[in-house]
Amino acid sequence: MASSSTAKIIDRNIPMVKLENIRKSFDDLEVVKGLDLEIGSGEFFSLLGPSGCGKTTLLRMIAGFETPNSGIVSIAGEEMTNFDANERPTNMVFQSYAIFPHLNVGENVAYGLKKLRLPKNEMKARVLDMLKLVDLDGLYDRPSYALSGGQKQRVALARALIMQPKVLLLDEPLSALDKKLREQMQHELRRLQRTLGITFVLVTHDQEEALIMSDRIAVMFDGKIAQLGHPQEIYERPVTKKVASFIGVMNFVSGEYLGKKGGKLHVRTSSLGEVFLKPGQMASDLQPGNVTLGLRPEMLTVLYSTNDNSENEFKAKITNVSYYGDMTYYSVEMPGPDDDISISMRNTVGRHVYSVGDVVRIGWGAASIVAL
Amino acid sequence: MKVSIQIKQSLDGWRLIGTPFVFGLLLLLTPIFLMVLLSFWTQDYLDLNRTFTLANYKEIFSHPVFITLIKRSVNISLFVTALTVLLAFPVAYYISFYGGKRKSLLLFLITIPFWTSYLLRIFLWKIILGYNGVINSGLISLNFIQEPLTFILYNSNAVVLALAHAWAPFAIFPIYVSLEKIDRSLLEAGRDLGDTAIRSFFRITLPLAMPGIIAASLIVFIPTIGDYVTPKLVGGTEGMMVANMIQVQFSKANNAPLAAALALVSLSIVVLISLVFLFLNRKYLRRQI
């Protein structure tokens, strides 16, 4: 495991994919609205957003299936805006896998190699190597209709990787798999990407998947990038309410920003009282006035005994309990006009699970809050 | 309880297929059985000689005129099949890939020839191809030719032309359906893996359209080999086919047993060639489930 991280070369100084002011419309509908993006060499990059946000169109423009109405697409330093898909050093894993039904596994994987006119035994050796890499040993002769969803996924992956692309494009590749298989494939894709050092660009609407797999994530809404950053940045410091609620669960508390006070930002809320934030927790251009504070459910704690204490605390009535086995999610009533907030607690030995109607003490710290 | 439900269900099933089954039995199997029987008898002037004999079959295979007609029928219908499928494919391809929102309109337009009866359409070919027909008088008035062309009507070319035109829609539809079924992302995957448009056509589109092409071939081949009206009206003597001979034997020559034997030989050839098509189709279908 340790060696895999050294094999990975991330060099963001050389953008592998560079998109400049990309615009794309279908009929009268503008799907991508003037977008700039640089994806580094060897990076695992995710385009994350709800359906219809333009992420798949963007991927298809990198692949060469769509041409932007304006803007420049460069791959590995070369401008390729008007190059067809068959002339680009990119390969794609399709959402539907697009396994050729009239060819068997070996023929599917060898499909793109055919035009190289390799000797038969070398071709077969390459295909067998690739099948081994994606854990499909022994399936060389298997007809494609006899493959499971997960196996089709691996064939699609092998078929693309055997072309030794500079960029591998993945269009929601895991959405059709069941939960267990999806988690397994997430780890495997990550492992493959680290071993091969190829730039991966993943399109997904699953925020958890993006967080687990990516080096960097671009969150897209409505044809634009809403936030670009490392998974941790995106999760902990979302820049808008929309990003915050799309990534995981976020509780919102309304307040009023009163200005700076002793190097800290002073927010007055009816639910949490006076809150003091560090400059990093708030957008720099925020003007005094109404503001929304965001708190993740795991950043709040139920204080079980009188010995437990926290930086700040308040008392609240539990309105809903969802027991997940490893975790329990509580909804509690807030003082003031705010909606109920959600708190997640890990279930440990001897820890009591409360019931609806119980009044509990809830602890929170100002450091975990973001102002939006 | 369970058994009675099963009985009831199978009764329902029989009731459902009962009528068509009896219908098929009476109108399909009985005539064929009678034909088989007839083919082993002989015509004795005005009476039927009911002693079992292979004389009719011997006569068919020893008489060159019958062999020639059977060969010609097979050749014409194979040629018609190839021509029809070849012409139908681009039409089906265009509608499926470039039809866009007009797909159903285009499919509807293809059915327009059916608004006129088949017999009338054949007569129209006579008007178009005839001695004083549209083509000849047009070419004469344009001074391209002095004398009317005679090779365009009353021969096998005219039969091929009329049949190919008549059967085109039946070939377009199955090919269209098989093209519609092709997942377009397969073609993108082909392009993504380096194919040009032409290469991906031959490597993906054509193999996947094969069940439709084979179905179209069968649909055209089976009825055309036994076609009687078209060669009768536009074929002349040179374009005469086996069905015309069967008709002559049944009526003018008053030799029903020979006609029956001739019909059964043709039928066997159709069955044989159809089996080849079906075998090919299964081979393709098995790989595509």
Side-chain angles (χ1 to χ4, degrees), chain A residues 60 86 92 101-102 111 145, chain B residues 188 192 195 203 287 289:
Chain A
R60 290 172 59 80
N86 58 18
M92 180 119 138
H102 55 304
Y111 191 94
Y145 61 77
Chain B
E188 288 191 337
D192 189 56
D195 273 353
R203 294 180 77 186
R287 303 195 69 173
I289 300 161

Side-chain angles (χ1 to χ4, degrees), chain A residues 78-118:
Chain A
E78 199 180 336
E79 204 215 302
M80 295 201 162
T81 315
N82 293 312
F83 281 43
D84 194 74
N86 58 18
E87 301 162 317
R88 298 193 187 199
T90 57
N91 285 103
M92 180 119 138
V93 175
F94 291 83
Q95 184 170 15
S96 62
Y97 311 137
I99 301 299
F100 302 121
H102 55 304
L103 304 178
N104 65 25
V105 168
E107 290 165 332
N108 261 286
V109 177
Y111 191 94
L113 288 184
K114 277 275 160 63
K115 66 170 194 269
L116 298 180
R117 299 191 185 283
L118 298 170

Side-chain angles (χ1 to χ4, degrees), chain B residues 257-285:
Chain B
L258 182 65
L262 208 50
L264 282 171
V265 170
S266 315
L267 187 67
S268 319
I269 292 171
V270 172
V271 168
L272 215 68
I273 296 178
S274 304
L275 283 178
V276 173
F277 278 123
L278 280 179
F279 174 75
L280 285 175
N281 205 15
R282 270 182 60 174
K283 206 179 129 197
Y284 275 105
L285 279 179

Side-chain angles (χ1 to χ4, degrees), chain B:
Chain B
M1 273 306 274
K2 212 174 173 192
V3 174
S4 72
I5 284 170
Q6 273 176 359
I7 291 171
K8 193 184 169 297
Q9 279 181 343
S10 75
L11 261 178
D12 282 351
W14 279 109
R15 210 173 295 147
L16 209 60
I17 64 157
T19 316
F21 184 72
V22 171
F23 188 80
L25 200 72
L26 286 177
L27 296 179
L28 224 85
L29 285 178
T30 316
I32 287 176
F33 174 74
L34 287 177
M35 287 251 293
V36 174
L37 212 61
L38 196 58
S39 75
F40 291 113
W41 293 341
T42 41
Q43 190 76 28
D44 195 2
Y45 190 51
L46 288 175
D47 301 312
L48 274 177
N49 183 349
R50 288 191 167 79
T51 41
F52 179 87
T53 170
L54 289 171
N56 293 320
Y57 291 96
K58 277 182 193 145
E59 191 177 347
I60 289 170
F61 288 107
S62 58
H63 228 293
V65 73
F66 298 122
I67 302 290
T68 311
L69 281 177
I70 289 172
K71 270 191 192 160
R72 184 191 290 160
S73 300
V74 172
N75 283 341
I76 286 181
S77 59
L78 282 179
F79 188 58
V80 167
T81 305
L83 188 72
T84 311
V85 169
L86 227 57
L87 292 175
F89 192 90
V91 178
Y93 187 87
Y94 177 82
I95 298 174
S96 178
F97 282 82
Y98 302 101
K101 289 173 189 161
R102 294 169 303 143
K103 267 182 193 173
S104 34
L105 175 70
L106 291 170
L107 289 174
F108 171 72
L109 291 179
I110 286 169
T111 65
I112 283 184
F114 294 116
W115 297 5
T116 311
S117 90
Y118 181 63
L119 215 55
L120 283 178
R121 277 184 281 150
I122 301 295
F123 271 115
L124 286 174
W125 278 113
K126 281 178 93 155
I127 293 170
I128 294 168
L129 302 172
Y131 192 78
N132 292 317
V134 177
I135 289 180
N136 276 330
S137 51
L139 289 175
I140 288 171
S141 70
L142 289 169
N143 272 325
F144 281 123
I145 50 171
Q146 305 309 318
E147 291 286 304
L149 304 171
T150 52
F151 64 86
I152 52 174
L153 189 61
Y154 298 128
N155 54 31
S156 53
N157 296 338
V159 177
V160 168
L161 193 63
L163 283 174
H165 171 257
W167 289 96
F170 294 98
I172 292 172
F173 281 104
I175 297 173
Y176 167 77
V177 169
S178 69
L179 289 172
E180 277 293 285
K181 267 171 60 186
I182 297 176
D183 181 355
R184 299 304 192 254
S185 69
L186 294 175
L187 301 172
E188 288 191 337
R191 252 169 83 199
D192 189 56
L193 294 164
D195 273 353
T196 57
I198 293 170
R199 273 179 75 86
S200 76
F201 175 80
F202 283 107
R203 294 180 77 186
I204 303 167
T205 314
L206 197 58
L208 291 180
M210 223 47 201
I213 292 172
I214 289 167
S217 304
L218 265 180
I219 288 172
V220 178
F221 177 77
I222 294 175
T224 52
I225 193 170
D227 195 67
Y228 158 75
V229 184
T230 318
K232 176 91 179 169
L233 289 178
V234 297
T237 44
E238 200 228 308
M240 193 178 176
M241 285 165 73
V242 72
N244 304 103
M245 178 54 89
I246 295 171
Q247 190 260 344
V248 165
Q249 290 299 333
F250 260 118
S251 54
K252 282 184 194 149
N254 191 25
N255 192 348
L258 182 65
L262 208 50
L264 282 171
V265 170
S266 315
L267 187 67
S268 319
I269 292 171
V270 172
V271 168
L272 215 68
I273 296 178
S274 304
L275 283 178
V276 173
F277 278 123
L278 280 179
F279 174 75
L280 285 175
N281 205 15
R282 270 182 60 174
K283 206 179 129 197
Y284 275 105
L285 279 179
R286 196 186 308 140
R287 303 195 69 173
Q288 283 184 34
I289 300 161

Side-chain angles (χ1 to χ4, degrees), chain A residues 232-254:
Chain A
Q232 221 175 330
E233 276 174 53
I234 302 265
Y235 187 80
E236 289 175 5
R237 294 279 178 262
V239 292
T240 65
K241 223 175 145 175
K242 221 172 166 185
V243 174
S245 42
F246 188 72
I247 313 284
V249 180
M250 185 67 100
N251 297 306
F252 295 112
V253 170
S254 57

Side-chain angles (χ1 to χ4, degrees), chain A residues 37-39 43-47 200-202 216-218 228:
Chain A
L37 179 63
E38 284 186 12
I39 299 171
E43 205 175 6
F44 198 125
F45 194 90
S46 292
L47 294 166
F200 277 35
V201 182
L202 172 80
R216 281 197 306 156
I217 299 170
L228 178 70

